[in-house]
Amino acid sequence: MRETNREWVFAERPDGEPGMDSFALEERSVPEPNHGEVLVRVRYLSVDPYMRGRMRDTESYAEPWDVGESMSGAVVGEVIDSKSERYETGDIVTGEGAWADYVVLGADSVAPVDPTIADLPAYLGALGMPGRTAYFGLLEVGTPKPGETVAVSGAAGAVGSVVGQIAKLNGCRVVGFAGSDKKVNWLTDDLGFDAAINYKDTDDYRVALEDAAPDGVDVYFDNVGGPISDAVFTKLNLDARVAVCGQIAHYNDESVPTGPRKLPQLIATRAKVEGLLVGDFANRFEEASTQLATWVASGDLSHRETIVEGLDNAPDAFLGLFSGDNIGKQVVRVSE
Amino acid sequence: MRETNREWVFAERPDGEPGMDSFALEERSVPEPNHGEVLVRVRYLSVDPYMRGRMRDTESYAEPWDVGESMSGAVVGEVIDSKSERYETGDIVTGEGAWADYVVLGADSVAPVDPTIADLPAYLGALGMPGRTAYFGLLEVGTPKPGETVAVSGAAGAVGSVVGQIAKLNGCRVVGFAGSDKKVNWLTDDLGFDAAINYKDTDDYRVALEDAAPDGVDVYFDNVGGPISDAVFTKLNLDARVAVCGQIAHYNDESVPTGPRKLPQLIATRAKVEGLLVGDFANRFEEASTQLATWVASGDLSHRETIVEGLDNAPDAFLGLFSGDNIGKQVVRVSE
């Protein structure tokens, strides 16, 4: 065990694209658990696009970080000291904690992890919040029916890759947008997507969609926004559903982005466009976690993580999300 | 009875804002009804914003007009010759017909009009398609709850004025956008709107909304689009609903209009934005017509029509929709 605890704090609000100036690594003493708490040695921590929103000083769905506050998010790790009857030393748990070597978590706020179903990083991805987001967003907001076409942006990301596979399990044609040939190949060769479009290698997304989605798009699961969404909206079918899960193309915008107006397109299609936040389904998380674990165990749901080594590199791992460095879930390995 | 039938035909596809070049008045012989049809002397004809869409050569929810085809829409008139057992001479009916002195209509496709409930023009407005659009659009797409705030654009138009009143009947706070002080006064003084904003007299719609909708907007019924909608979207509350009924600000656009992107705003609010077409509720038209007539008869629902005199002036009446000439429903009186 280390003598001190390294912990990343939020050092400066970024203007536009964040850089290393926004982060500072501090040395602190290892925290001690109080009654009902556990001390966890972090094995893996999660970096997620939504965290960019917490760097703004405007109220949104996730509480803004104060400058000086710890960077935090989902972590998975091992209980090394327990002041709770619910967990003992050696248990693996997941919860919300700091980007740090050690975190103290309330025993009520963590969930046990079963390493026999999947390796630990999967509990930050397909078996964690991104997987549940895909599950509820696709099934409850997208409501796909067998034979329909589902389009997904950010398809090779933590959420998108699960969305596409659940859509396939529901008998849909699935089209993904991703940013490299390697990602595109993973989607079609390993995950069973019917088509995938490398948007960095395509001039005209509408033309690409004509081949990839010849019957139009019934469900669009949007993680990205921008020109990809503009193109998909022109291909929406009658009574299409759009689940707006993320808009990573716009997270670093400092002014309100502009683009083609979409409301006029909604009348003829009677499409429904709906914002999605997984927290709204909190009372059904167990259902999702059980189903996702079942699919992973049976091999119906593949998952993949891009692992950045070392707590030192957590900011790089986060910044890499915006350049699309990750295939599948981006995680940081903090300790073995 | 006239010896010939005057009939407006679609003469030329407009580029941008239509002018008189798009219309030609032709003299034809008075048509004769076949078995199952009625000959109707048109008393009033309806001009509606959606007709602009039919002037394009692109497929949309309403069939495009061919050049040379008759202009057509909702009409109300008197049966002057009947080849159907369902109607006799002197009956007042409403249906879809040409902009003409006389039209032949299938008896199955017309509905009887009860002039004791309201004057005939109301059957093209609050008791016609616009009223039913307001009814289903607000109640089924907007789903307002008592105490919520409902915002309406094009609030002094045929649809908007009914939307606002139904919202008041449902216990909502109602805010309307309209284009003149006269309209604004009608909304607040006669129709019971809680607030109305003259958008032609307001620099900053967001600031105006802060006063008019201090608790934000739960339901937005959009007939207009453009900057009014941009402002309302910034005031949407958690779980807000947006019914996109019309986008008259954009109907004369020749290229895809641009504006602030709205998808990023939907995540934090989880707002639902849905296109609306009244035809989707065709199997419930009787329910709506009965309810609307009941409200009109009881005085709970006011209606108003702007009447342009003479078939000659039908194109002017239509073009006037785009400059906001009408208060309430714009109709043309074809005969006494």
Side-chain angles (χ1 to χ4, degrees), chain A residues 195-259:
Chain A
I197 297 165
N198 178 352
Y199 70 87
K200 291 186 180 166
D201 198 29
T202 308
D203 283 339
D204 190 328
Y205 305 156
R206 288 180 63 171
V207 170
L209 269 173
E210 270 159 31
D211 287 338
D215 298 327
V217 172
D218 301 294
V219 177
Y220 176 41
F221 193 105
D222 189 13
N223 294 301
V224 174
I228 293 174
S229 297
D230 298 340
V232 176
F233 266 72
T234 68
K235 299 294 180 194
L236 294 180
N237 287 335
L238 191 67
D239 294 323
R241 288 82 66 199
V242 177
V244 185
C245 177
Q247 294 278 286
I248 195 171
H250 304 298
Y251 289 168
N252 290 328
D253 290 343
E254 280 304 305
S255 55
V256 176
T258 59

Side-chain angles (χ1 to χ4, degrees), chain B residues 20-336:
Chain B
M20 286 302 297
D21 293 346
S22 288
F23 309 91
L25 189 61
E26 297 195 350
E27 295 267 335
R28 296 176 173 181
S29 55
V30 175
E32 290 188 15
N34 289 319
H35 180 71
E37 295 180 332
V38 290
L39 176 64
V40 172
R41 188 178 58 155
V42 177
R43 300 274 284 272
Y44 295 90
L45 69 83
S46 178
V47 290
D48 300 275
Y50 80 85
M51 293 170 175
R52 179 63 182 85
R54 301 194 66 181
M55 294 181 156
R56 298 181 185 274
D57 60 1
T58 45
E59 205 59 47
S60 183
Y61 54 90
E63 189 85 0
W65 278 314
D66 290 327
V67 168
E69 197 175 343
S70 297
M71 300 293 302
S72 60
V75 300
V76 57
E78 181 182 348
V79 173
I80 57 171
D81 188 8
S82 177
K83 294 285 190 295
S84 161
E85 289 177 354
R86 300 175 61 169
Y87 295 100
E88 56 190 35
T89 302
D91 284 347
I92 307 293
V93 296
T94 182
E96 288 279 317
W99 293 7
D101 293 302
Y102 303 98
V103 294
V104 163
L105 302 175
D108 291 348
S109 69
V110 301
V113 159
D114 180 353
T116 66
I117 293 175
D119 290 342
L120 304 195
Y123 284 87
L124 300 177
L127 297 178
M129 183 271 288
R132 291 190 293 267
T133 302
Y135 179 89
F136 291 112
L138 180 67
L139 298 178
E140 298 297 324
V141 181
T143 61
K145 292 185 272 289
E148 288 191 326
T149 297
V150 175
V152 192
S153 61
V159 175
S161 57
V162 177
V163 166
Q165 293 180 86
I166 298 178
K168 286 305 300 176
L169 289 168
N170 278 269
C172 297
R173 177 178 177 84
V174 177
V175 180
F177 282 88
S180 73
D181 287 342
K182 193 173 166 189
K183 291 178 180 177
V184 157
N185 292 338
W186 179 53
L187 297 177
T188 53
D189 298 351
D190 295 343
L191 301 191
F193 280 50
D194 297 282
I197 296 166
N198 178 352
Y199 70 88
K200 291 187 180 169
D201 198 30
T202 308
D203 282 339
D204 190 328
Y205 305 155
R206 288 180 64 169
V207 170
L209 268 173
E210 270 159 30
D211 287 337
D215 299 326
V217 172
D218 302 294
V219 177
Y220 176 42
F221 193 105
D222 189 13
N223 295 301
V224 173
I228 293 174
S229 298
D230 298 339
V232 176
F233 266 71
T234 67
K235 299 295 180 193
L236 294 180
N237 287 335
L238 191 67
D239 294 325
R241 287 83 67 200
V242 177
V244 184
C245 177
Q247 293 280 287
I248 195 170
H250 304 298
Y251 289 169
N252 290 328
D253 289 344
E254 280 304 305
S255 55
V256 176
T258 58
R261 289 185 178 276
K262 295 182 172 61
L263 299 188
Q265 299 168 329
L266 300 185
I267 301 175
T269 57
R270 277 84 93 199
K272 188 179 73 177
V273 184
E274 197 169 347
L276 154 69
L277 212 57
V278 69
D280 293 340
F281 299 94
N283 62 351
R284 292 176 56 195
F285 277 0
E286 201 169 314
E287 165 200 333
S289 296
T290 301
Q291 178 63 77
L292 291 161
T294 303
W295 280 329
V296 166
S298 66
D300 285 322
L301 181 64
S302 294
H303 60 94
R304 181 166 172 170
E305 296 82 28
T306 297
I307 297 175
V308 171
E309 292 293 338
L311 182 62
D312 285 344
N313 293 317
D316 278 329
F318 171 70
L319 299 175
L321 294 168
F322 298 93
S323 40
D325 291 355
N326 55 305
I327 300 189
K329 180 70 184 94
Q330 181 91 317
V331 301
V332 176
R333 184 175 359 234
V334 178
S335 65
E336 292 294 327

Side-chain angles (χ1 to χ4, degrees), chain A:
Chain A
M1 183 165 163
R2 296 175 56 91
E3 289 189 2
T4 59
N5 190 26
R6 296 171 303 161
E7 189 161 325
W8 283 102
V9 300
F10 180 47
E12 188 181 291
R13 285 198 200 287
D15 186 24
E17 195 173 344
M20 285 303 297
D21 292 347
S22 287
F23 309 90
L25 189 60
E26 296 195 349
E27 294 267 337
R28 296 176 173 182
S29 55
V30 175
E32 291 189 14
N34 289 319
H35 181 71
E37 294 179 332
V38 290
L39 175 64
V40 172
R41 188 179 57 153
V42 177
R43 301 273 286 270
Y44 296 90
L45 68 84
S46 178
V47 290
D48 300 274
Y50 81 85
M51 294 170 173
R52 179 62 182 83
R54 301 194 67 181
M55 294 182 156
R56 297 181 185 274
D57 59 1
T58 47
E59 204 60 46
S60 184
Y61 54 90
E63 189 86 359
W65 277 313
D66 290 328
V67 169
E69 196 174 344
S70 296
M71 300 294 302
S72 60
V75 300
V76 58
E78 182 183 348
V79 174
I80 57 172
D81 187 7
S82 178
K83 293 285 191 297
S84 162
E85 290 178 354
R86 299 177 62 170
Y87 295 100
E88 55 190 37
T89 302
D91 284 348
I92 308 293
V93 296
T94 181
E96 289 277 318
W99 294 7
D101 294 302
Y102 303 98
V103 295
V104 163
L105 302 175
D108 291 348
S109 70
V110 301
V113 160
D114 180 353
T116 66
I117 293 174
D119 289 341
L120 305 194
Y123 285 87
L124 301 177
L127 297 178
M129 183 271 288
R132 291 190 293 267
T133 302
Y135 180 89
F136 291 113
L138 180 67
L139 298 178
E140 298 297 323
V141 181
T143 60
K145 291 186 271 292
E148 287 190 326
T149 297
V150 174
V152 192
S153 60
V159 176
S161 58
V162 178
V163 166
Q165 293 180 85
I166 299 179
K168 287 305 300 176
L169 289 169
N170 278 267
C172 298
R173 177 179 177 84
V174 177
V175 179
F177 282 89
S180 73
D181 287 341
K182 193 174 166 190
K183 292 178 180 178
V184 158
N185 291 339
W186 180 53
L187 297 177
T188 53
D189 298 350
D190 295 342
L191 300 191
F193 280 50
D194 297 282
I197 297 165
N198 178 352
Y199 70 87
K200 291 186 180 166
D201 198 29
T202 308
D203 283 339
D204 190 328
Y205 305 156
R206 288 180 63 171
V207 170
L209 269 173
E210 270 159 31
D211 287 338
D215 298 327
V217 172
D218 301 294
V219 177
Y220 176 41
F221 193 105
D222 189 13
N223 294 301
V224 174
I228 293 174
S229 297
D230 298 340
V232 176
F233 266 72
T234 68
K235 299 294 180 194
L236 294 180
N237 287 335
L238 191 67
D239 294 323
R241 288 82 66 199
V242 177
V244 185
C245 177
Q247 294 278 286
I248 195 171
H250 304 298
Y251 289 168
N252 290 328
D253 290 343
E254 280 304 305
S255 55
V256 176
T258 59
R261 289 184 179 276
K262 295 182 173 60
L263 299 188
Q265 299 168 329
L266 300 185
I267 301 175
T269 58
R270 276 85 94 198
K272 186 178 75 177
V273 185
E274 197 168 346
L276 154 69
L277 213 57
V278 69
D280 293 341
F281 300 94
N283 63 350
R284 291 176 56 195
F285 276 1
E286 201 169 314
E287 164 200 333
S289 296
T290 302
Q291 179 63 77
L292 291 161
T294 303
W295 280 328
V296 166
S298 66
D300 286 322
L301 181 63
S302 295
H303 61 94
R304 182 165 172 170
E305 296 83 28
T306 297
I307 298 175
V308 172
E309 291 293 339
L311 182 62
D312 285 344
N313 293 316
D316 278 329
F318 171 70
L319 299 176
L321 293 169
F322 298 93
S323 41
D325 291 354
N326 56 305
I327 300 189
K329 180 71 184 92
Q330 181 92 317
V331 302
V332 177
R333 185 175 358 233
V334 178
S335 64
E336 290 295 326

